[in-house]
Amino acid sequence: MEGLKKDVIRHVVSSLGSDYASKSAYNYYNALALAVRDRLIDNWIKTQRSYYDEKAKRVYYLSLEYLPGKSLMNNLHCLGIYETARKAMSDLGFSLEDLAEQEWDAGLGNGGLGRLASCFLDSMATLGIPGYGYGIRYDYGIFHQVIEDGKQVEQADNWMRVGNPWAYERGQHLFPVRFFGEVKNWTDEYGRLRHTWTAGDTVLAMPCDMLVPGWDNHHVINMRLWSARSDVEFDLDFFNTGNYLGAVEEKIFDEKISKVLYPSDQIEEGRELRLKQQYFFVTATIQDILRRFRKKHQDMTELPQSVAIQLNDTHPAIAIAELMRILLDEDLLDWEVAWDICVSTFAYTNHTILPEALETWPVSLLERMLPRHMQIIYEINARFLREVERVARSEDCGQLCHRDLDHLKQRVSLIQERPIKSVRMAHLAIIGSHSVNGVAALHTELLKARVFDDFQRLYPQKINNKTNGVTPRRWLWSANQPLSRLIASHIGTGFVRNLDELTQLEPLAADPAFREAWRAAKLENKQRLQAYIKRKLMRELHTEHLFDVHIKRIHEYKRQVLNLLHVVTAYNRLRHGQAADFTPRTVFFGGKAAPSYFMAKRIIHAINAVAATVNADSRVNDKLQVVYLPNYCVSQAERVIPATELSEQISTAGMEASGTGNMKFALNGALTIGTWDGATIEMAQAIGPELLFIFGMREDELVSLRQHGYNPMLYYHGDEELREALDMLRSDAFSPGQHGLFAPLVDNLLHGGDRFFVLADYRQYLGAQQDVGRLYLDQEEWTRRSILNAARMGFFSSDRAISQYAREIWDVAPMAGLQNGKGA
Ligand code: F55
């Protein structure tokens, strides 16, 4: 401890240039972070050196998004110096918790996809897998959300303004990135046609490295994030030719590339700068991968034995064309050889079946920005369609007439003609990869049977499932110390790296003393949340209420509106004196809406309007409260999830690819009210469906309902309580003086076809909520189920997920000496 204290003080003085006697929390947080980083860097260097020495096969995880959140606490726990640090900082006059609050969340992602990437890096580090995360260091991460007059207002997330003590910027290792320009043809010595892409604009990519430690194993992997730097300041001529201001303008223009994260999820926004971001990131990453590969190899055909590249959704899929370009135009390989290398190296993870989220890029834009890549994509497509034709003809499909073949080719082509001629990035990713995986069992089945059914027939081995998981380090050990300590006192700490060990809790569910201790841990977390809400929102929570929580991005398919209709109905019953047996509850909502997503923003407004009405109504507010948690983010999830008793996972069946919040809640002892969707299904199977509150129509039932003509008005007319709730929303009951404010929401349900089947599931949802309320009155039974839920969550560790990726997709093994936990 004395060592750590000394190091902190030294950093306050010599790294931060401050007086150690002036007790600034900001300085002491930064100094502590630097002292922790000092303890990581040796192991990071050793880890990287061991990959090199052992010629280990490396895994590269390519993601446009990461959501690491805060690093301090996690890193202290991984290094096993949390207690030491707590004491040291206390000696220096600080509470470690308060210091940790100084850190800004690294919010370089939108939601589940970005957080999954961060959980996966944690697991690679813990399992000792030679992995790297590659991404973009956005200057501005996901916007900061404030709620003003009930509405979302977006503020810039200037997360690096206060500096980032965790990152190493490597300004001396810059990689060139080219855009535009033209392609020249030439003939090689064997008379083959060759191509050279000559640069138009050039930008530079600067690496920023963030260290990702494993759990208690001395293994530290690298997350390398690229930041755009202009080349003009390296081109002295430019400054000297008299166009000084022009040069500065160009510098600003170039560096715009890594300025901001696009804040939309599940909607594809085809903006030129976004394509630039993707290619900028991809080419820098591929150059870095090949630089490392070429240190030990001359023969490019060995690449797949040494390198696996995982594409996190299609956002980095242009990497397939980029690797082809390098192999063809720089290494002068033949097409077939280059293509085999590509397919054997790449694998692609799909995260959505929503059609509006499938990426396409206009051919005209690609032709201009990346002319050589567009040529390569055309060539990939031509060869692929010839292959489709060959397979289709060779198969015994007598009835396959040319018309069908033409339709098949149109469906699977990399190019879609309408509404504008565009490249389908998912098709490029599928054809260019040896593995295509979904993120939960149902999701993968839907990929095979619906979205990519043609590809499933063409390549029956390619599409596979890897159900998501979450890291127990952050989402149990670090976020929930009261519960973790209780668990550890009975079964030891092995569950932190082997989550299956939680099954040892099962017999304890029958032990009243253990149940009481389990409840005490939950209460402690509820009280901690209460204190936080008081500080931040100046509101008093009732900790004896059932804490019912719905936190995730706001999207129609996630059906925050269904939850809201339950709240309004509960409010009506209480007002009308029809709810004598109502179990008091506080309903929490949280989540960001894409700034361009009108309906999602209006949903936030409606939740806040209902909250204001309910909370102000003294007839009901001792029994029902509604809280909107502004600026939902990773660090907020870490506070809220441990305090949650009821987890809302109520998406329209078939539409949530997996969900990962669902897993975090159950791991922390919340019971789930949920639909038969995503990974919630697999949770119900692992835990026992009778231990969750599952309701609503299943995916196949919705398909047939849709086919037979779904009429939401039938539900409206047939259900008095539903009608009352919808009428109130449409009238101005919650929006006095703002006529018609929530009409778009109601109209969308009643007259817009209710695409997400809110009305169809309303009555069953109410029934399930009734069951929840009833069970909560029986605290012994509730606690028993809570324990069993957590005890059976072992499968949902990201360690299990990553082990499957490593074995079944990447063919990589943990570094020797790290297989069973601790390293040298
Ligand atoms: C971000 C940008 C674009 Cl252009 C499209 C989508 C996204 C995004 O954030 N998607 C996302 O978060 N998808 C989620 O991925 C999770 C991890 O696999 C799933 O659990 C979740 O179901 C899915 O919606």
Side-chain angles (χ1 to χ4, degrees), residues 65 109-117 261-269 274 278 312-315 349-352 357-359 439 443 468 553 557-558 655-663 678-679:
E65 304 193 7
N110 275 287
L113 171 150
R115 182 53 232 176
L116 184 77
L261 166 78
Y262 277 88
S264 319
D265 67 321
Q266 313 294 349
I267 329 174
E268 196 266 307
E269 287 193 270
R274 165 102 179 153
Q278 294 184 347
N312 198 21
D313 217 295
T314 57
H315 316 151
T349 305
N350 173 286
H351 296 268
T352 185
L358 294 179
E359 264 193 311
V439 289
H443 169 59
N468 284 166
R553 285 297 286 248
Y557 85 83
K558 296 179 188 278
M655 296 202 174
E656 188 68 270
S658 162
T660 45
N662 48 2
M663 303 169 188

